[in-house]
């Protein structure tokens, strides 16, 4: 009997979710090892290798191009965090830099023909949850218990439900923005390859230039910019 | 519904749901209008601002990118709904 799902995919385009490599790991039901996690391990390995290679034999006065590049990258993030969040939040520099590099390399994985982990909503959701926790932490730290509770009834007490919804809407939008952009690239590339068939020569490259390179770097930048403005605006001292 | 076997009814029901889902996915993407207008407005205003104050172009561009990203959100919600309807339809098999 032809089921509806088969009809939908018959001779057409299928965009699959991330492959599930192993299911029910360690006997825990639903504990899966997916393609996203494996590719993330690759990303972590790449980042670790680059960081170790770039930060060896540092001198006070830079001599090598390698050290100049490293200093340029670090000072870019120091400047970005200082201008967006203010000097008060300089301990977030390392986190923001790590976040940007991690998301950017993940997005660029599409170039290698791998499925970029950020087109999996559970990966972007996790990153957004980290930002959400930092927002709550910063709120509690700056306002203590009283200020934390008071921030929900500002400017007027009847705004309480809207403030609570807004608190959860921010990370949701953050996760869906990155996921939506990356999955849109994946789907549109699949559509282009399907439509062109064997003639897929130049046009996929141009689409890939936009979706895999421009959009990848841009979305990583937008993610850190929004994370920074959410964290620094959760300041109860004002 | 008299002369139909349960099998035919199931196929018919799923066909209606699939057709309606395809229409729904297309209709959902009308939401692309909003972010388009919003981002265009944002970019235009940024160009005006840079024209007035060319030395502040760095800060203006940064702010513009955040504004673009926020304007894009509603469009991405629509995209997620459209993708759900196309690839992970929650409505299939609800009737029978």
């Amino acid at each position: 009997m032809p089921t509806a799902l088969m009809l939908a995919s018959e001779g057409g385009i299928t965009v699959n979710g991330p492959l599930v490599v192993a299911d029910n790991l360690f006997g825990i039901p639903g504990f899966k090892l997916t393609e996203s996690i494996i590719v993330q391990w690759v990303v972590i390995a790449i980042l670790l290798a680059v960081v170790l290679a770039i930060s060896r034999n540092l001198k006070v006065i830079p001599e090598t191009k390698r050290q100049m590049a490293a200093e340029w990258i670090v000072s870019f993030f120091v400047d970005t965090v200082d201008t967006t969040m203010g000097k008060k939040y300089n301990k977030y520099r390392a986190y923001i830099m790590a976040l940007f590099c991690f998301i950017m390399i993940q997005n660029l994985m599409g170039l290698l023909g791998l499925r970029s982990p950020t087109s999996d909503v559970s990966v972007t959701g996790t990153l957004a949850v980290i930002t959400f926790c930092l927002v709550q932490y910063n709120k509690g730290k700056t306002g203590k218990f009283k200020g934390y509770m008071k921030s929900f009834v500002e400017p007027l007490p009847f705004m309480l439900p809207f403030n609570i919804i807004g608190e959860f809407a921010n990370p949701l939008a953050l996760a869906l923005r990155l996921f939506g952009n990356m999955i849109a690239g994946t789907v549109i590339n699949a559509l282009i390859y399907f439509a062109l068939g064997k003639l897929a020569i130049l046009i996929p490259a141009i689409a890939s230039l936009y979706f895999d390179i421009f959009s990848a770097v841009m979305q990583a930048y937008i993610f850190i910019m929004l994370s920074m403005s959410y964290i620094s605006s959760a300041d109860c001292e004002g | 519904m008299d002369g139909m076997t349960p099998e035919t009814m199931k196929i018919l029901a799923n066909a209606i749901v699939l057709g309606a889902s395809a229409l729904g996915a297309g209709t959902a993407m009308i939401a692309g209008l909003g972010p388009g207008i919003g981002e265009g407005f944002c970019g235009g205003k940024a160009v005006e601002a840079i024209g007035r104050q060319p030395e502040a172009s760095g800060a203006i561009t940064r702010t513009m990118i955040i504004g673009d990203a926020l304007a894009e959100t509603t469009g991405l919600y629509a995209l997620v709904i459209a993708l759900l309807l196309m690839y992970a339809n929650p409505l299939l098999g609800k009737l029978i």
Side-chain angles (χ1 to χ4, degrees):
Chain A
M1 187 199 73
T3 62
L5 275 172
M6 275 165 67
L7 283 173
S9 65
E10 200 172 32
I13 312 143
T14 47
V15 175
N16 299 314
L19 286 173
V20 178
V21 180
D23 206 349
N24 296 338
L25 274 180
F26 310 119
I28 306 166
F31 188 52
K32 289 173 189 164
L33 185 64
T34 58
E35 196 187 351
S36 309
I37 297 172
I38 309 260
V39 178
Q40 275 182 306
W41 289 343
V42 174
V43 171
I44 292 169
I46 292 173
L47 275 176
L48 192 64
V50 169
V51 167
L52 285 181
I54 218 171
S55 64
R56 281 175 64 195
N57 294 330
L58 293 182
K59 303 262 165 53
V60 178
I61 297 159
E63 287 169 0
T64 53
K65 284 221 171 95
R66 182 172 54 80
Q67 188 178 347
M68 284 179 192
E71 287 185 3
W72 184 81
I73 296 169
V74 171
S75 61
F76 172 78
F77 285 103
V78 168
D79 282 351
T80 311
V81 174
D82 281 356
T83 51
T84 320
M85 298 173 88
K87 285 250 187 280
K88 192 178 159 191
Y89 291 103
N90 55 12
K91 66 181 173 200
Y92 285 96
R93 282 168 187 168
Y95 170 65
I96 294 296
M97 183 174 162
L99 190 65
F100 179 83
C101 296
F102 189 51
I103 296 175
M104 192 184 76
I105 305 286
Q106 279 186 8
N107 292 349
L108 290 175
M109 278 291 131
L111 284 177
L112 301 181
L114 296 167
R115 188 193 161 86
S116 56
T118 37
S119 54
D120 182 353
V121 78
S122 52
V123 174
T124 60
T126 313
L127 294 171
V129 165
I130 299 174
T131 296
F132 175 76
C133 292
L134 282 176
V135 166
Q136 301 307 318
Y137 164 77
N138 192 28
K139 228 181 201 183
K141 198 183 163 212
T142 51
K144 303 287 179 290
F145 182 73
K146 201 181 157 202
Y148 182 79
M149 289 300 168
K150 201 168 167 249
S151 73
F152 287 101
V153 289
E154 274 173 349
L156 289 167
F158 78 88
M159 295 291 280
L160 177 69
F162 304 105
N163 281 336
I164 293 173
I165 293 170
E167 207 67 27
F168 288 102
N170 280 349
L172 182 72
L174 203 59
L176 285 183
R177 182 172 299 116
L178 185 55
F179 164 72
N181 274 290
M182 295 326 288
I183 197 83
T186 310
V187 169
I188 291 173
N189 272 337
L191 286 176
I192 289 174
Y193 275 111
F194 176 73
L196 292 176
K198 282 181 182 149
L199 294 171
I201 306 168
L202 185 64
I203 302 169
I206 298 169
S208 179
L209 204 64
Y210 176 79
F211 287 114
D212 286 339
I213 299 180
F214 175 76
S215 180
V217 179
M218 200 51 118
Q219 290 308 318
Y221 185 68
I222 285 169
F223 196 97
I224 62 159
M225 288 302 275
L226 288 174
S227 289
M228 282 191 286
S229 61
Y230 288 154
I231 292 170
S232 60
S233 66
D235 193 336
C236 293
E237 286 162 1
Chain B
M1 296 277 174
D2 286 338
M4 278 189 186
T5 60
E7 295 285 279
T8 344
M9 274 176 70
K10 197 169 181 180
I11 292 174
L12 187 61
N14 280 341
I16 292 171
V17 171
L18 275 181
S21 303
L23 284 177
T27 317
M29 287 320 291
I30 293 176
L33 269 179
I37 295 172
E39 285 180 22
F41 205 69
C42 188
K45 287 283 178 192
V47 169
E48 273 179 25
I50 292 177
R52 211 175 296 130
Q53 270 185 306
E55 66 277 3
S57 64
I60 292 169
T61 313
R62 267 202 302 279
T63 319
M64 187 195 79
I65 287 170
I66 296 182
D68 274 351
L70 288 176
E72 210 177 34
T73 311
T74 48
L76 288 170
Y77 289 153
L79 176 73
V80 169
I81 289 171
L83 287 175
L84 276 179
L85 285 175
M86 303 244 295
Y87 298 112
N89 200 320
L91 304 172
L92 272 180
K94 278 282 160 68
L95 267 179
I96 299 171

